[in-house]
């Protein structure tokens, strides 16, 4: 009380509330201002991407297939590839890996996509440093982004405030981050589109921001729980409706955190999915009923969530899939011939099997799978589903059951949602050379990318002169079903040289049949059917593979005048386990700056299992 008997607590509290609101606004303005600068910095890449005509927003169906190279078009089904495969090389000239005398014009009117580097050449040494791995799965750039985000929130938490006495600052910081967290979580993310990254690439920021938001919410709640418990008034205070809803909000946020940890995502994905869904549904009304002032943030999250769901409805298709078992690879191959185009190589879809044979609740589960075919392939959209858990195990077993009853005629009703993700604004066809390194089921990324690049080469829409697909598998027998498809792809390459190298890591004590009369040997690499298709024991030497690709890119002829064709860099695509990505990124980092400059830069697109 003041000397005149007036109460000064209310004005002080009002002043603190205004200061907290101002600091919260500063935090958000700074965060979204940085995001805006990144969007502006990446604007040239967006323009180049749009000029390349590579956008694929929705899956599409057509009455007939778009034109594809080769006789009869391409196929990504290893079973169908056998019928169109020409194995007679006795009268053919072997295709050598030489590109020194080959060039494609890039004068005005050429259909080749423009090459827009992700970073100016002068900043390439800095880019090399930022892409270096600091901890497994995280580059220096990713760590820097997370640390700067942390510093911004710490500024908001401690700016003229003490978290141990200020009971509102942490709460406002917690809730104010929810729109950003929701924007990063959406499958059809508008923010991701503006930044030029898929939701799976930004997922690490979503998880980190969510955890900091939950931490701030818990700090706010612990303050009151301690205060009321110490005063013996906890029951009385928590019985008030606004406080009871605050407790519900806290429990919903903690539920989201506990069941989103890596253990639950890997071991019990459905538990993670349903607790996340329930937690998000409870979050909105609890925030509004806890404090009406939180409604703008809650409504912003509802709008983002609703927009994402609406876009996903437009991206969904119900179709009939032809199912084939691939027992050598422990996979099920799904062909959906009615979906002809609408995706880019490397993108994935979310698959739901609408069949009671998948179990009582199997139809409720959705799982992501990378598309194994290029748009316009004869077989339509093709998925290779490898056994990796209970649901995929049931799908593989079901494919074997259907195959045993009516060989090659199994049918399943499926719900396809997508496409999502992919190499964002990285246009492989705008580079001079590309190396695709995949492990295990990551071959789906490699197959679709190679098929798409060969189609672009056939239509004079590619600058590529050298492509190498490197597949790392445990067992050489995994290669057998795909030999016809690999050979078919090599046959259909024209001015672009395609080399496919398969490496198996399991030590052999005897010869293992791979294809027809070709056997895998314990120590010696062998060529299978075609000299550009090789099988080798051990792990690949990534540095040697990348150096060969760089030499091939530098060997592209350059001439003067309107037919000038300049070296436009090396693209490296990675899809596989985290350890594989770490090794390849390290090998890319070992390329010296002078070589990177001469080749026009080296850019990496990485997809690792487990996101």
């Amino acid at each position: 009380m003041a000397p005149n008997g007036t109460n000064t607590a209310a004005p002080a509290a009002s002043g603190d509330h205004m200061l907290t609101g101002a600091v919260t606004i500063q935090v958000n303005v700074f965060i979204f201002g940085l995001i805006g600068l990144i969007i502006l910095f990446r604007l040239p890449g967006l323009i180049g991407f749009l000029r390349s005509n590579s956008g694929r927003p929705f899956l599409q169906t057509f009455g007939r297939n778009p034109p594809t190279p080769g006789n009869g078009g391409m196929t990504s089904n290893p079973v169908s590839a056998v019928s169109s495969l020409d194995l007679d090389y006795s009268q053919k000239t072997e295709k050598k890996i030489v590109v020194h005398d080959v060039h494609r014009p890039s004068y005005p009117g050429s259909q080749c996509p423009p090459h827009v580097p992700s970073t100016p050449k002068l900043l390439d040494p800095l880019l090399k440093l930022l892409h270096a791995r600091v901890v497994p799965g995280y580059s220096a750039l990713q760590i820097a982004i997370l640390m700067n985000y942390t510093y911004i929130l710490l500024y908001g938490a401690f700016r003229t405030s003490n978290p141990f006495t200020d009971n509102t600052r942490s709460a406002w910081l917690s809730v104010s981050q929810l729109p950003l967290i929701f924007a990063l979580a959406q499958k059809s993310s508008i923010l991701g589109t503006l930044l030029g990254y898929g939701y799976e690439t930004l997922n690490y920021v979503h998880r980190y921001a969510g955890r900091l938001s939950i931490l701030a919410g818990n700090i706010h709640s612990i303050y009151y729980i301690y205060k009321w418990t110490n005063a013996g008034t906890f029951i009385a205070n928590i019985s008030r409706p606004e406080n009871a809803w605050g407790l519900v909000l806290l429990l919903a946020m903690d539920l989201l955190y506990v069941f989103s940890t890596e253990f639950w995502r890997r071991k019990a994905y459905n538990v993670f999915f349903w607790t996340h869904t329930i937690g998000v549904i409870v979050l909105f009304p609890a925030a509004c009923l806890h404090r009406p002032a939180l409604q703008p943030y809650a409504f912003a999250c509802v709008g983002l969530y609703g927009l994402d769901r609406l876009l996903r409805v437009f991206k969904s298709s119900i179709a009939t899939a032809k199912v084939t078992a691939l027992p050598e690879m422990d996979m099920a191959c799904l062909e959906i011939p009615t979906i002809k185009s609408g995706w880019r190589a490397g993108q994935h879809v979310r698959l739901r099997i609408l069949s009671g044979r998948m179990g009582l609740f199997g139809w409720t589960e959705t799982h992501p799978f990378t598309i194994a075919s290029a748009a316009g392939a004869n077989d339509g959209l093709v998925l290779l589903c490898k056994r990796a858990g209970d649901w995929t195990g049931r799908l593989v077993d079901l494919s074997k059951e259907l195959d045993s009853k009516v060989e090659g005629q199994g049918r399943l009703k499926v719900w396809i949602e997508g496409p999502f993700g992919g190499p964002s604004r990285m246009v492989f066809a705008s580079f001079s050379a590309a190396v695709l390194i995949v492990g295990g089921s990551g071959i789906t990324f490699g197959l679709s990318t190679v098929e798409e690049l060969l189609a672009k080469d056939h239509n004079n829409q590619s600058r590529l002169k050298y492509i190498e697909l490197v597949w790392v598998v445990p067992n050489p027998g995994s290669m057998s079903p795909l030999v016809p498809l690999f050979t078919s792809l090599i046959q259909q390459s024209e001015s672009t040289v395609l080399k496919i190298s398969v490496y198996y890591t399991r030590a052999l004590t005897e010869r293992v049949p791979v294809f027809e009369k070709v056997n895998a040997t314990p120590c010696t690499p062998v060529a299978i059917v075609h000299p550009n298709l090789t099988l080798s024991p051990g792990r690949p030497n990534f540095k040697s593979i990348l150096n060969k690709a760089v030499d091939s890119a530098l060997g592209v002829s350059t001439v003067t005048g309107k037919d000038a064709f300049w070296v436009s860099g090396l693209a490296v695509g990675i899809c596989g386990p985290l350890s594989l990505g770490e090794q390849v990124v390290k090998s890319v980092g070992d390329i010296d700056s002078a070589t990177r400059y001469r080749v026009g830069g080296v850019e990496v697109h990485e997809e690792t299992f487990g996101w």
Side-chain angles (χ1 to χ4, degrees):
M1 300 288 289
N4 60 3
T6 60
N7 191 341
T8 60
S14 176
D16 289 343
H17 179 74
M18 292 178 62
L19 179 61
T20 294
V23 171
T24 303
I25 291 173
Q26 289 177 19
V27 167
N28 283 291
V29 167
F30 195 73
I31 290 173
F32 285 99
L34 287 177
I35 292 175
L37 288 176
I38 296 173
I39 292 173
L40 287 176
F41 180 77
R42 291 180 58 82
L43 188 59
L46 174 61
I47 295 172
F49 175 75
L50 294 175
R51 287 178 60 194
S52 70
N53 194 28
S54 297
R56 299 290 187 272
F58 301 105
L59 299 176
Q60 300 169 4
T61 59
F62 296 99
R64 59 179 182 174
N65 294 334
T68 52
N71 296 328
M74 285 186 167
T75 174
S76 286
N77 182 354
V79 177
S80 302
V82 177
S83 60
S84 60
L85 181 61
D86 181 6
L87 299 179
D88 182 13
Y89 283 86
S90 58
Q91 303 299 324
K92 295 181 181 292
T93 301
E94 294 181 1
K95 182 176 289 186
K96 303 295 184 181
I97 307 174
V98 179
V99 296
H100 296 79
D101 60 346
V102 180
H103 76 276
R104 177 177 285 119
S106 59
Y107 52 84
S110 170
Q111 299 178 37
C112 295
H115 178 68
V116 181
S118 61
T119 304
K121 287 187 177 182
L122 293 176
L123 298 179
D124 189 69
L126 176 62
L127 189 68
K128 177 181 175 180
L129 178 65
L130 291 176
H131 283 173
R133 288 294 195 267
V134 178
V135 295
Y138 290 90
S139 66
L141 176 60
Q142 291 173 313
I143 295 295
I145 290 172
L146 299 183
M147 289 301 97
N148 278 280
Y149 180 74
T150 304
Y151 298 151
I152 294 170
L153 291 191
L154 287 176
Y155 165 84
F158 289 97
R159 175 75 169 89
T160 65
S161 173
N162 184 344
F164 296 100
T165 59
D166 188 344
N167 58 0
T168 60
R169 181 69 63 83
S170 57
W172 279 103
L173 284 175
S174 174
V175 176
S176 69
Q177 298 309 297
L178 290 180
L180 174 63
I181 295 167
F182 271 76
L184 293 170
Q186 309 312 305
K187 300 295 186 294
S188 301
S189 173
I190 295 177
L191 180 60
T193 301
L194 293 174
L195 288 169
Y197 297 106
Y199 75 93
E200 73 283 5
T201 305
L202 298 172
N203 194 254
Y204 76 101
V205 184
H206 161 73
R207 291 196 301 264
Y208 189 78
R211 288 166 183 171
L212 289 187
S213 174
I214 292 169
L215 175 62
N218 276 271
I219 291 173
H220 167 73
S221 302
I222 289 171
Y223 173 91
Y224 283 103
I225 291 173
Y226 173 79
K227 178 181 178 180
W228 295 340
T229 302
N230 194 45
T233 60
F234 178 80
I235 299 299
N237 280 290
I238 206 65
S239 299
R240 298 172 60 185
E242 64 270 22
N243 293 336
W245 281 110
L247 180 61
V248 172
L249 177 60
L250 173 67
L251 293 175
M253 295 181 77
D254 287 344
L255 180 77
L256 288 170
Y257 168 71
V258 170
F259 291 102
S260 66
T261 54
E262 186 176 359
F263 172 83
W264 292 103
R265 294 200 314 270
R266 289 186 178 274
K267 301 296 184 181
Y269 182 85
N270 278 333
V271 174
F272 155 73
F273 175 81
W274 286 110
T275 53
H276 231 63
T277 301
I278 294 170
V280 167
I281 291 174
V282 172
L283 197 69
F284 300 140
C288 294
L289 293 171
H290 176 53
R291 287 288 183 270
L294 304 182
Q295 290 180 2
Y297 296 103
F299 290 157
C301 293
V302 170
L304 289 168
Y305 186 80
L307 177 61
D308 176 64
R309 288 291 167 177
L310 181 62
L311 290 174
R312 289 171 67 175
V313 168
F314 284 108
K315 285 188 169 188
S316 296
S317 302
I318 296 177
T320 300
K322 175 184 175 182
V323 185
T324 307
L326 301 175
E328 300 90 342
M329 303 174 66
D330 203 19
M331 282 185 175
C333 176
L334 274 66
E335 302 171 51
I336 309 171
T338 56
I339 300 179
K340 303 294 186 183
S341 64
W343 68 88
R344 291 181 67 204
Q347 290 189 298
H348 67 270
V349 294
R350 301 185 69 83
L351 172 69
R352 188 192 305 264
I353 304 294
L354 304 178
S355 172
R357 297 183 179 185
M358 292 294 293
L360 183 60
F361 297 104
W363 63 273
T364 65
E365 298 187 35
T366 58
H367 292 260
F369 294 98
T370 301
I371 302 171
S373 58
N378 282 350
D379 302 312
L381 189 147
V382 177
L383 303 176
L384 297 179
C385 309
K386 182 177 178 60
R387 186 192 301 270
D390 294 339
W391 188 88
T392 50
R394 290 196 298 270
L395 177 57
V396 172
D397 292 338
L398 179 56
S399 69
K400 294 177 181 178
E401 178 186 339
L402 292 174
D403 247 10
S404 64
K405 291 181 179 178
V406 279
E407 184 175 354
Q409 298 298 318
R411 297 289 189 272
L412 285 174
K413 207 74 172 178
V414 297
W415 182 329
I416 296 290
E417 184 181 311
F420 302 113
S424 59
R425 294 177 188 168
M426 186 172 177
V427 182
F428 282 91
S430 70
F431 292 81
S432 294
V435 176
L436 308 171
I437 301 174
V438 300
S441 59
I443 188 62
T444 53
F445 166 79
L447 287 175
S448 60
T449 303
V450 167
E451 191 170 346
E452 182 178 279
L453 293 177
L454 293 181
K456 288 181 178 294
D457 176 62
H458 176 77
N459 296 320
N460 196 28
Q461 296 175 343
S462 173
R463 297 173 180 269
L464 284 166
K465 289 294 168 281
Y466 178 84
I467 305 171
E468 181 165 3
L469 172 60
V470 180
W471 187 25
V472 184
V473 292
N475 193 327
S478 301
M479 179 187 183
S480 301
L482 295 181
V483 170
L485 177 56
F486 288 156
T487 311
S488 175
L489 291 172
I490 292 173
Q491 285 182 352
Q492 295 177 70
S493 62
E494 296 182 353
S495 59
T496 297
V497 173
L498 172 61
K499 185 176 188 297
I500 300 178
S501 307
V502 181
Y503 293 83
Y504 58 92
T505 57
R506 183 172 299 168
L508 300 181
T509 58
E510 58 184 9
R511 295 175 179 268
V512 176
V514 176
F515 188 75
E516 294 189 346
K517 297 180 180 180
V518 180
N519 298 319
T521 59
C523 302
T524 309
V526 294
I528 301 177
V529 180
H530 192 285
N532 283 4
L533 175 59
T534 60
L535 176 66
S536 305
R539 298 185 181 278
N541 185 334
F542 297 121
K543 187 177 297 186
S544 174
I545 292 170
L546 294 173
N547 287 336
K548 183 187 297 183
V550 167
D551 292 341
S552 298
L554 292 173
V556 174
S557 296
T558 56
V559 294
T560 58
K562 70 175 184 178
D563 290 341
F565 180 79
W566 304 107
V567 178
S568 55
L570 169 65
V572 180
I574 309 167
C575 185
L578 178 62
S579 58
L580 178 69
E582 297 283 324
Q583 295 173 42
V584 177
V585 170
K586 183 179 183 305
S587 297
V588 171
D590 290 339
I591 301 175
D592 61 89
S593 297
T595 301
R596 296 167 73 101
Y597 185 86
R598 285 190 298 117
V599 81
V602 181
E603 298 187 24
V604 179
H605 167 69
E606 182 182 1
E607 296 181 12
T608 53
F609 299 158
W611 52 261

